[in-house]
Every structure is written in C-alpha cells, then in structure tokens.
Amino acid sequence: MLVADRLLHITAEHYLALSAILFSFGMVAVMMRRNVIVMLMGIELMLNAVNLSFIVFARELGSLDGQIMVFFVMTIAAAEAGVGLALAVAIYKKFKELNIRYFEKLKG
Amino acid sequence: MIYEAISFYSLAMFLVFFAYKTISAENPIHSALYLVLTMLGLGAMFFTLGAEFIAGVQVIVYAGAVMVLFVMVLMLFDLKAEVQTFSKGLLSGFLKVFSAAALAGLALGVISNSVQMVDSSATQPAAEAGMDVTKNLSILLYTKYLFSFEVLGVLLLVVAVGAVALSRMKGGTHARRG
C-alpha cells in the first residue's frame, strides 16, 4: 500500500529521477558513439534533461527563475549546436568521414 | 492524482524509449528523428508541469529549428558507409556504460535523500494553475534578467559569425584563408 502510494503520488522526486536517467543516456551517447553529430545529439539530450529538472524545481519553489534559466540554456544549446555542426562540416570536408578521431588532426 | 500518475508514466516511458532509440540507432538520420520525438515528449512534460511558454519554445526551437539544422547537416554528407557506429573495446565500453549507470544511481540516491529539503510551502497556487505564467516570465526576463538577455543576444551574433567563418575556412581551424 505504501509502495503503491509512493508510485502513484507523483512528486518532484519522480521527475528528477527521469531527468537523471535521461542525462545518463546522453552521457552514454557522448562516450560510446563515434559520429560527431550523434555525440552532439547526446549533448542536446543532456541539456534537455537538466532543463527538465530546472522546470521541476521552478514548480516546487513557486518561482519563475528556473524557467528563465531554461530559456537561457535553450539559447546556449542552439548556439552550441551551430558551432558543433560547423566543426562537423569542417571535419567532413577534410576527411570525408564524420568520425571523432579526426578531431585531433583538424589543427593547422 | 491518478491522472497525473498516468500522464507521467506514459510520458516517461515514451521519453526513455525514444532516448534509448536515439543513442542506439545505427543510422544518424534515425537518431535525429528519434531525438525529435524525445524533444516533443519533453515539451509535453513541460506543459504538464505548468510551463506553457517553455513548452512552446521547446517544440518550436528544439524540435523545429535545432533538429532541422541537424537533419540538414546530415543530408549534406554522404553517410551511407557508417564504418564504426560505437567505439571499440568491450572493456572500455562496459566501463563507459557502468560509469553512466553509476552517475544515474548516484543522482537517484542524492535525489531521494535530499528532495525533502526543498521548501515547497512557498508554492504559489496561482503559478501552478497556469495563470499569467507567460506574462510574469516576460516581466522577469525584461527586468531582473535584462543584462543576461542582452549578453545572450551578443553571444548569438558571435556564434553566427563564428559558425560561418568556421565552415568557410579551408583546411582546418587554424588555416589561413585564401
């Protein structure tokens, strides 16, 4: 009964747990995948997981500052995606493949 | 209460399933499309949490603009021959998954031990009912956070110029132009 109540009564804990799980998925994507664009997608997934916890805390505390932070994080994520994709284009133009191991050869 | 539980668990299963598909799909285009679905699910979750404006921005900016950028860059490349999807090494792969799982477990432990410390007695019922959230958000954005907002505008300009310069250069990031 107590367990069912804890499972059915959705609190901030549930949302934060989901956020942690999504964050670790993004982390696995960054560490395991070799394709630069898929690694960038993993970073986006991690940023979104953090956004979820920001929104949950904003609701818990009855304050809108968390939502403002989400707004900023989204802007920076869009900027980061732009720069990362430009780097991916640079890698592809030189090596005709999108593997992360070419990153170190990109200088000069 | 039961409706909230149903919506939470269905959205959570949706999100975890498509996040898993994102990181495990061998074709990067499939990864991108699964990531769009994950973003849409997160937008729905933001909506249920009472952040309507952020939910709209999530759908428009993330599921729309950023993912279209990803898919368009992927379409520029000829990626039929994906030689190696995952990094090599069974032991290192196991260690990577294990460290991610350890991080998730650590975060879950911290959450379950510390979430009682959050003082939720200050919750304003008006903020939960979705009244004027967008209005208050914009007032906050243009008064308290005005400086950060302007700095973000400058950052976006710099990033736009930098991305164009980076993709126009020949032969790497430190090459001379010409």
Side-chain angles (χ1 to χ4, degrees), chain B residues 119-166:
Chain B
D119 180 24
S120 57
S121 60
T123 308
Q124 296 143 4
E128 268 202 351
M131 287 169 64
D132 289 341
V133 169
T134 308
K135 185 182 167 191
N136 290 332
L137 196 67
S138 59
I139 289 173
L140 205 60
L141 187 62
Y142 287 109
T143 53
K144 190 177 169 189
Y145 292 100
L146 181 64
F147 183 69
S148 324
F149 185 72
E150 298 292 338
V151 169
L152 268 184
V154 176
L155 174 82
L156 281 182
L157 179 69
V158 170
V159 163
V161 173
V164 171
L166 211 60

Side-chain angles (χ1 to χ4, degrees), chain A residues 74-87:
Chain A
M74 276 179 179
T75 317
I76 291 173
E80 169 257 321
V83 173
L85 290 174
L87 280 174

Side-chain angles (χ1 to χ4, degrees), chain A residues 31-87:
Chain A
M31 289 193 299
M32 296 283 288
R33 298 299 295 254
R34 293 293 90 189
N35 189 317
V36 178
I37 295 190
V38 182
M39 291 173 80
L40 277 172
M41 288 181 204
I43 295 175
E44 298 289 327
L45 199 57
M46 287 197 275
L47 287 168
N48 268 286
V50 173
N51 280 353
L52 178 62
S53 59
F54 266 128
I55 296 268
V56 171
F57 277 118
R59 190 190 67 158
E60 282 298 300
L61 298 172
S63 140
L64 283 176
D65 295 295
Q67 298 195 16
I68 297 274
M69 284 303 145
V70 171
F71 191 73
F72 290 166
V73 169
M74 276 179 179
T75 317
I76 291 173
E80 169 257 321
V83 173
L85 290 174
L87 280 174

Side-chain angles (χ1 to χ4, degrees), chain B:
Chain B
M1 178 179 128
I2 189 78
Y3 297 113
E4 199 190 359
I6 290 170
S7 75
F8 173 77
Y9 283 116
S10 48
L11 267 177
M13 279 192 289
F14 181 89
L15 282 174
V16 170
F17 176 72
F18 283 115
Y20 173 72
K21 293 294 273 184
T22 304
I23 65 175
S24 64
E26 295 213 349
N27 192 333
I29 292 270
H30 293 171
S31 285
L33 296 178
Y34 287 130
L35 189 60
V36 170
L37 284 175
T38 314
M39 301 292 179
L40 286 176
L42 269 169
M45 189 158 265
F46 291 169
F47 194 83
T48 61
L49 282 168
E52 290 88 1
F53 179 71
I54 297 291
V57 171
Q58 170 89 9
V59 171
I60 293 169
V61 173
Y62 258 121
V66 173
M67 294 319 294
V68 165
L69 194 67
F70 271 94
V71 173
M72 280 189 69
V73 170
L74 278 172
M75 286 161 94
L76 284 177
F77 307 144
D78 179 29
L79 288 181
K80 278 182 218 113
E82 179 88 359
V83 183
Q84 186 193 351
T85 312
F86 295 99
S87 56
K88 272 184 270 184
L90 198 63
L91 181 66
S92 70
F94 174 75
L95 275 177
K96 286 165 184 171
V97 174
F98 178 77
S99 62
L103 178 80
L106 201 65
L108 291 180
V110 168
I111 288 162
S112 64
N113 279 328
S114 67
V115 81
Q116 292 93 348
M117 289 181 211
V118 175
D119 180 24
S120 57
S121 60
T123 308
Q124 296 143 4
E128 268 202 351
M131 287 169 64
D132 289 341
V133 169
T134 308
K135 185 182 167 191
N136 290 332
L137 196 67
S138 59
I139 289 173
L140 205 60
L141 187 62
Y142 287 109
T143 53
K144 190 177 169 189
Y145 292 100
L146 181 64
F147 183 69
S148 324
F149 185 72
E150 298 292 338
V151 169
L152 268 184
V154 176
L155 174 82
L156 281 182
L157 179 69
V158 170
V159 163
V161 173
V164 171
L166 211 60
S167 55
R168 295 279 303 165
M169 273 179 193
K170 290 188 175 64
T173 47
H174 290 264
R176 267 174 294 156
R177 241 167 300 168

Side-chain angles (χ1 to χ4, degrees), chain A residues 11-36:
Chain A
T11 54
E13 219 172 318
H14 294 73
Y15 288 103
L16 292 175
L18 178 65
S19 163
I21 289 168
L22 287 180
F23 188 93
S24 61
F25 274 25
M27 191 173 152
V28 168
V30 172
M31 289 193 299
M32 296 283 288
R33 298 299 295 254
R34 293 293 90 189
N35 189 317
V36 178

